[in-house]
Amino acid sequence: MKINRSRVLVVSALALASAQAFADGPSFYALVDGGIASSSITGAGTTASKSEFVTGGVVPTFAGLKFEKTDSGITYGVQVEQGFTLNSPSGSFYSFGNGDLLNRQKNFYISSGAGKFVFGVQGNIAFGNVLMADPRGGSNFGSSLAMIDANGGLNTVDNASLSYTSPSMSGFTVAAQYVPESSTASADVKTGSRAAIGYSSGNLTLGLSTYTSQINNTVNLTTCVTPGCVNKDSTGTILGFNYKMGVFTLKGISASQTNTTFTSALTTNGVGGSYTLSDKVSFDLGYYNATSSIGNFKVDTTALGAYYNLGKDLKVYAQYAVVDNKGSSKSYWNFAGPSIITGDLTAGQKAETLNVGLLFSYF
């Protein structure tokens, strides 16, 4: 990859300035996931199979820095985070940002006993509820992400947003986020709001989030022919739970979303969870059903994963996912990049994927 020297200088200068301003010191973290995915598509239309190296079979790959300073019970901080891929797929090289610098986190935050305020590029708080409740923890193969994020249009990262998260009060937390108009790398203008409420007591965690988004495409009108390319308004509600029962963790998620594609709600329901066999071995399993009356949309997903800890920060995994398009409309079928064979399943097609890889976490 050709190194962009101006970007390197910007990141270096930012890191140096932040380290001086926040004398408590920087903390580095990273999540790296790479492996081999073998996929096949059968059924109506064209059949195909392919094996290739992929980044993010289970989780996205990113690295970041956090600088904090605490004074009189108030913590001030700066967080920067870059998503990237370990290979060089066609199109965008970076994950979650179309090649933008520091595309996942680029913000300033203040936290105290009154809660936490974040200003800048940050995660979507409605998406945070998906990660809590998804039966397979939001795996990029065989989870709810292909339906809720790819088909439903839920952002994972919001640009130039303002958010507030309250401290826990009798087990309850509330959060709100506002996304004002801002230009993105593709010159789209996005506005929106998000709200979330959570409850945690003992082994039970509940979450409810809602969001609205508007995308006005002002750049690609020459190649965009459908009305949804010009204005894409979307709303959604996500409900989920997480309940620990010893070595078992039961999870469930339910989402209802509308946008210019799904003017009649896209409903996604998932149930499953994880099982810890030992301090080395764990498993997860999830079943998902997504339906909408628009185009007789119906997609079933079943997936399982096995994980073995090679060390404190490193694990090897294997996962198997089946996505069955039983409706009359096309659908996304995975959330990993680059797309395997094709990004869409047409009516009557079934996709099967076996993915084996290594996952390194440093926090």
Side-chain angles (χ1 to χ4, degrees), residues 140-161:
N140 288 329
F141 285 105
S143 73
S144 66
L145 298 193
M147 302 303 140
I148 294 177
D149 291 87
N151 284 322
L154 176 65
N155 293 340
T156 59
V157 174
D158 282 322
N159 291 320
S161 60

Side-chain angles (χ1 to χ4, degrees), residues 174-239:
V174 295
Q177 187 172 16
Y178 172 63
V179 185
E181 291 187 6
S182 63
S183 296
T184 68
S186 58
D188 292 341
V189 178
K190 302 182 180 182
T191 63
S193 61
R194 299 82 169 85
I197 183 169
Y199 176 74
S200 182
S201 177
N203 295 327
L204 176 65
T205 301
L206 298 172
L208 173 65
S209 56
T210 183
Y211 69 92
T212 63
S213 295
Q214 183 179 26
I215 302 174
N216 299 316
N217 191 316
T218 59
V219 136
N220 299 318
L221 301 184
T222 56
T223 58
C224 215
V225 295
T226 62
C229 293
V230 180
N231 295 289
K232 188 173 183 179
D233 299 333
S234 62
T235 62
T237 301
I238 302 162
L239 175 66

